[in-house]
Amino acid sequence: MMKNVPLYLAGEFVQSQASEWIDVTDPATNEVIAKAPCTTDAEMRKAIDSASEMFKTWKEVPVSERARVMLRYQALLKEHHDEIAEILSQETGKTFEDAKGDVWRGIEVVEHAANVASLMMGETVENVAREVDTHSWTQPLGVCAGITPFNFPAMIPLWMFPMAIACGNTFILKPSEQDPLTPMRLAELFEEAGAPKGVLQVVHGGKEQVDVLLTDPAIRAVSFVGSVPVGRYIYETGTRNMKRVQSFAGAKNHMVILPDADKQQVINALVGASVGAAGQRCMAISVAVFVGEAQQWIPELKEAMAKVRPGAWNDSGASYGPIISAKAKDRVESLIATGEAQGANLLLDGRGCTVDGLPDGNWVGPTLFSGVTTEMDIYKEEIFGPVLSCMETDSLGEAIELINKSPYGNGVSIFTNSGGCARRFQHEIDVGQVGVNIPIPVPMPFFSFTGWKGSFYGDQHAYGKQAVRFYTETKTVTSRWFSKEATATSEANFSIQLR
C-alpha cells in the first residue's frame, strides 16, 4: 500500500506540507510504493532550530546516560532485525540475506557507540612545568548532519547518527530519497529506545534540501556517502561554509590473484564480491587482476558466474536483486555496450536479463569482460552494477603499479598463499582498506572505514575512533594553583615560557 513518508521533526513524526514529492519505487516491479516529500524551507528551519535548541541540554547529559540510550537502541535493533531487513529488501530489491547483513553491520556500530565513555576520554599530564598541570577534554561540536545513499539504507545511517549523538551532538539525517522507509523505521526505534525528542531529526528531498544542510551556519559537521561528483560538491560546498566534512565518494576496487592462490576460493570470492547486491556496493570488486598463469582460471570463473541469477528479495534461490532504478539500469547497460565497442571481450552479457513473474524489474545479469585496458570506460568509471572486468599482468609488481595509478583508493584485496607477497602488497599498495584472502575488507566498527585518494574527501573517517574525533572538539586546560608562600615570592614573567 502506497503511503506518504513522514518527517521526524522536534520529536514528532509529521506529514510534510511539501508541494513536491518523490516517488519511491520497488525496483523489482517499478511500482510506486511510497512518496517522499521535498521538505519545505520552513520544515528545514524547524529541524535545524529544534536540533540547535536540544543541543543545549543534550550536551550536558552525562556520557554514561548517552551510552545507555545506545545500549537500549542496539537491543531494539536486534529484536526488530528481520523486520527492518524485510522493509529494506522491499524498497531496495536486496535479497533478504543481504538485507540482514546490511542491518547487522549497522548494529555493530551502535554497539561501538555504547562504548562512547572510554572513546571520549581525554589526556592528562601533571607538572608540564613547575606546579603546572595540563589536561584535555573531548567535547561535542553541536548540530551535525548526514546525507546517506540508497545502497545501504540501514548500515550507513547507523554509521552516522548513533556515533554523533553518543558524543553529545544532535543530528539531522537526510536519507536517500530512493529508499527512505528503512531510515524512518530506524528513527522510530531510536525514539522507542528513549532518545530525547529533538536529538534526531529526519528530513527528505534532493539537492535543495542538501544545500540547506551544507550552508546553514548552525550546522557544524556534515557526513556524506555517495558518488564522486556529488561527494566532491558536498566537500567543497560544506568546507567553503566553514563546516567539518567527511565525504565518501566513488571507488574502483581491484582484486589481485596470484597463481599460488586457492583457485576455488578465488572464484567464489570474485563471484560474490562482484555481483553481490547487484554490484551496488562501494566496496564491490569490479576489477580482477590475474597475475601470470592465474589468468588461465578465467574460463572457470565465467562458468561459475553463468550459474548466478538475480531474483526477488524473498526468492531463496536468487543471488542478488535488481538495480535500484530504471535510470541506473540503463546506465549499466550503456557501459556494457561501450566496453564491447571499445574492444573488451564480452564473455558474459547481462543485458536483456529477465526474471519470471517480474517483467518490469530493473534486472541485469552477471556480466564478465576480459582483455580490459586502463583506457576503456568500463575501467575508468564506477559502473555500480554486476559487472566484472578481468585484466592480466606478468608480475605482482605490475599489478601494484596498475592499482596505484588508479585515482581511487577505497578497497583492494590480494589472494595468495605467500606471506611474503601479501606483506609486500599491503605495504606498497596506495589504498586505504586492504584484504588478504578477503575480497571485501570492510573493517569492524572499533577500527574506521578508511578510503583514500579520490574515494574520500576530508580528514577523519567514519565510525571507530576517527568518528569520535570527527564529531568532537578537543579542549586543553592548563592550570596552576598558588599557595600563599608562592604568591609572596612571585615576580612578573615577561616570557611566554611556562616555568
Side-chain angles (χ1 to χ4, degrees):
M1 179 180 177
M2 188 177 70
K3 65 176 182 179
N4 289 343
V5 182
L7 304 171
Y8 186 43
L9 302 178
E12 302 293 336
F13 291 93
V14 297
Q15 288 297 317
S16 173
Q17 299 303 305
S19 58
E20 296 181 47
W21 295 75
I22 301 169
D23 289 345
V24 179
T25 59
D26 177 350
T29 63
N30 275 310
E31 294 178 357
V32 177
I33 57 175
K35 287 183 175 290
C38 292
T39 308
T40 67
D41 290 344
E43 291 163 344
M44 292 295 294
R45 185 76 263 147
K46 183 175 182 179
I48 295 169
D49 289 347
S50 172
S52 299
E53 186 64 27
M54 186 62 205
F55 175 67
K56 297 175 184 177
T57 55
W58 180 244
K59 69 177 181 178
E60 304 298 340
V61 171
V63 65
S64 56
E65 291 186 28
R66 302 200 302 261
R68 282 193 282 272
V69 172
M70 298 305 156
L71 284 170
R72 293 191 294 270
Y73 189 41
Q74 61 90 23
L76 280 171
L77 290 170
K78 290 175 181 176
E79 180 183 340
H80 294 271
H81 177 274
D82 286 7
E83 173 209 337
I84 300 168
E86 185 169 331
I87 296 169
L88 193 157
S89 290
Q90 291 174 345
E91 65 177 344
T92 65
K94 284 189 179 184
T95 64
F96 189 50
E97 288 302 314
D98 193 20
K100 288 195 291 185
D102 186 332
V103 177
W104 185 257
R105 292 310 301 263
I107 291 173
E108 291 174 337
V109 178
V110 180
E111 290 177 333
H112 188 60
N115 189 38
V116 68
S118 61
L119 296 173
M120 291 188 69
M121 284 183 177
E123 298 171 317
T124 302
V125 175
E126 185 182 37
N127 278 343
V128 295
R130 189 172 297 279
E131 297 183 338
V132 175
D133 307 321
T134 298
H135 61 271
S136 68
W137 290 332
T138 304
Q139 297 186 332
L141 285 174
V143 181
C144 302
I147 303 156
T148 60
F150 76 85
N151 56 333
F152 286 96
M155 182 184 77
I156 294 181
L158 293 175
W159 278 11
M160 296 181 183
F161 74 81
M163 292 298 297
I165 291 172
C167 287
N169 304 286
T170 53
F171 201 88
I172 301 172
L173 176 67
K174 206 300 285 185
S176 170
E177 63 278 11
Q178 297 185 88
D179 45 17
L181 300 177
T182 301
M184 292 310 300
R185 186 62 181 131
L186 299 180
E188 291 171 354
L189 292 172
F190 193 58
E191 181 181 81
E192 190 176 332
K197 293 181 180 296
V199 167
L200 174 67
Q201 322 275 330
V202 185
V203 298
H204 305 287
K207 182 179 182 299
E208 182 179 343
Q209 288 70 32
V210 167
D211 282 344
V212 173
L213 300 178
L214 294 175
T215 57
D216 193 283
I219 295 174
R220 297 290 309 280
V222 177
S223 302
F224 169 80
V225 177
S227 64
V228 174
V230 179
R232 184 167 183 172
Y233 173 81
I234 295 286
Y235 180 75
E236 291 178 346
T237 306
T239 53
R240 190 166 57 246
N241 284 276
M242 304 302 293
K243 302 189 189 312
R244 188 176 293 183
V245 179
Q246 55 177 203
S247 183
F248 298 84
K252 199 70 178 181
N253 306 310
H254 301 70
M255 183 171 128
V256 175
I257 302 101
L258 298 188
D260 68 345
D262 183 298
K263 180 171 65 175
Q264 193 56 54
Q265 291 294 334
V266 165
I267 291 172
N268 291 345
L270 280 174
V271 173
S274 62
V275 305
Q280 298 173 118
R281 295 169 174 156
C282 66
M283 287 291 286
I285 294 296
S286 55
V287 182
V289 183
F290 291 88
V291 178
E293 295 179 357
Q295 62 189 276
Q296 297 175 9
W297 302 348
I298 294 176
E300 292 177 68
L301 172 62
K302 173 186 174 181
E303 183 179 344
M305 288 186 68
K307 296 176 182 177
V308 173
R309 67 174 182 85
W313 71 270
N314 55 358
D315 178 355
S316 60
S319 299
Y320 64 91
I323 300 294
I324 189 66
S325 69
K327 181 179 179 181
K329 174 195 169 185
D330 290 343
R331 179 180 178 276
V332 172
E333 291 190 336
S334 175
L335 281 165
I336 294 172
T338 299
E340 187 177 26
Q342 291 178 346
N345 302 318
L346 184 54
L347 304 180
L348 282 177
D349 188 351
R351 293 172 294 180
C353 178
T354 59
V355 171
D356 290 344
L358 297 167
D360 298 321
N362 306 316
W363 309 109
V364 177
T367 301
L368 181 66
F369 283 101
S370 67
V372 176
T373 67
T374 56
E375 293 78 24
M376 295 177 179
D377 288 351
I378 56 171
Y379 178 78
K380 292 187 290 186
E381 294 196 31
E382 185 177 24
I383 300 174
F384 234 55
V387 181
L388 178 63
S389 297
C390 296
M391 305 178 75
E392 300 84 31
T393 65
D394 293 328
S395 67
L396 174 59
E398 289 180 23
I400 292 172
E401 184 180 2
L402 168 74
I403 296 166
N404 285 348
K405 287 180 178 178
S406 171
Y408 303 112
N410 213 35
V412 71
S413 65
I414 184 171
F415 272 64
T416 179
N417 279 319
S418 168
C421 290
R423 189 183 186 285
R424 176 190 175 189
F425 182 81
Q426 66 190 32
H427 176 69
E428 295 183 9
I429 206 72
D430 292 336
V431 176
Q433 297 168 116
V434 182
V436 178
N437 297 319
I438 293 176
I440 301 181
V442 177
M444 294 294 285
F446 29 85
F447 290 92
S448 294
F449 189 94
T450 53
W452 284 10
K453 298 192 291 187
S455 294
F456 178 71
Y457 300 95
D459 299 307
Q460 303 290 346
H461 292 81
Y463 62 77
K465 293 179 181 178
Q466 292 197 34
V468 173
R469 289 195 289 268
F470 178 75
Y471 289 122
T472 60
E473 293 276 26
T474 300
K475 177 184 289 183
T476 57
V477 179
T478 302
S479 59
R480 170 186 281 155
W481 294 96
F482 297 104
S483 65
K484 289 184 178 180
E485 293 80 3
T487 302
T489 60
S490 65
E491 297 178 354
N493 179 13
F494 297 97
S495 170
I496 63 171
Q497 180 180 354
L498 289 174
R499 60 189 184 191

